[in-house]
Amino acid sequence: MKRFMKWMTDSFAPRLEAFTNNIWVSSIQEAIMVAIPMIFIGSIITLISILQDFIPGMPDLTPITTFSFGLLGLFIAFLTPYVVMEKKERHKIKLLAGMTGVSLFAMLLNPTINEDGTIQFILERFGPSGMITALLVGVFVALVMIMCNKFSFFKKGSSLPEFIMDWFDFLVPIALVLTTGWVLVYQLHFDIFGLIVNIFEPINAVGQSLTGFLLFNFIGVVLYSFGVSPWVMTPIWYAIWIPAIEQNASLVAAGQDPVNINTFETFFSGWLGIGGMGATLPLVVWFLMARSKKLKSVGKATIIPSLFNINEPVVYGAPIAFNPLLMVPMWINALITPVIVYLALDWGWVRIPSQIFQLWYTPIGLSTYIMSGFNGLILLAVVLIIVFVVWFPFFKLYDAQELKKEQEQN
């Protein structure tokens, strides 16, 4: 265990941090984070829609979701090259980069152009199902913009106004990007959007399997236990989660059963993120019963944030991070609970979430009921019992250690 801890601390964690600080990875993360409020809108509409059962004649609010969450791919196509240019401090071209990303993304959606000049898009392609395409478009646009950075039609010291020179110089990368899209779509007749979806279909299939579901949770928890925010996994997680919940919602709207278990809603609105990634709320409750003054204080200080699924204070304050005595039960829970949850949903004992609900700060239990009703609460009770039991012996050992330290200091 000591060797493993040393390797994780001295080798793995620094390399992972260097990777996540890479301009491309961090830009994708930031682009997704900027778009999160548009995802939240869909969640708020889900909450409000509950009132339709009690208020007759309440208007249909789903268009609000359609033109917020449903345009996520479009937003990502703009934000990704914009953020890369911002991080590269190429502020003059960042807005143009974003607009170019939108242009190429719309072209790759392969709209139908009618003889009368009207253009027909498939609206759902603008949304979560187009997220991978949007990310790839954003990265491609940013690369072209960077490669053309040193090109200029004008010599140094030209008497022309700077903004005029910029206009012409920016034409080259924009033309290269859009010409590439034109050749692929209108000359070679590639359905790039469909091709990208097909390429990533096996990845989505693995993500929706029991193994993928388990790995999603376990890898995030292990990273967190070494002090690395699990949100470094955002580009991978959201690329699978967002299209998955959209497909579930579409299936239910068509009168069919949802099929995708691996969604944000299952993780953080349902059964795994009890108090935050790693299911730390039960540990905080145990801390409230600690004999150690330190742990009791930690429990009092972190119980309110934990109820709203904010667990950084306990992860770094207890601490759980880099503390083998608390890391091990966190890992055990990360292996046991996903299996139970997955099987319960896969076997039809509990309804698979099919509504967009990404208000992660909604207390667990309330969000669980909204997602899966009474059966969901029964599954949550089972998960809670297991998590409480797993944390308990490790908590007792840690409490005894801290109590002994406190007694020796007095």
Side-chain angles (χ1 to χ4, degrees), residues 155-167:
K155 295 180 179 180
K156 289 184 178 180
S158 173
S159 60
L160 286 172
E162 186 177 358
F163 73 91
I164 296 291
M165 292 190 289
D166 288 340
W167 284 350

Side-chain angles (χ1 to χ4, degrees), residues 27 56 87 98 173 193 195 210 280 284 295 372:
S27 294
K87 289 183 180 293
F193 180 92
L195 179 64
L210 174 58
T280 54
V284 174
L295 296 187
S372 289

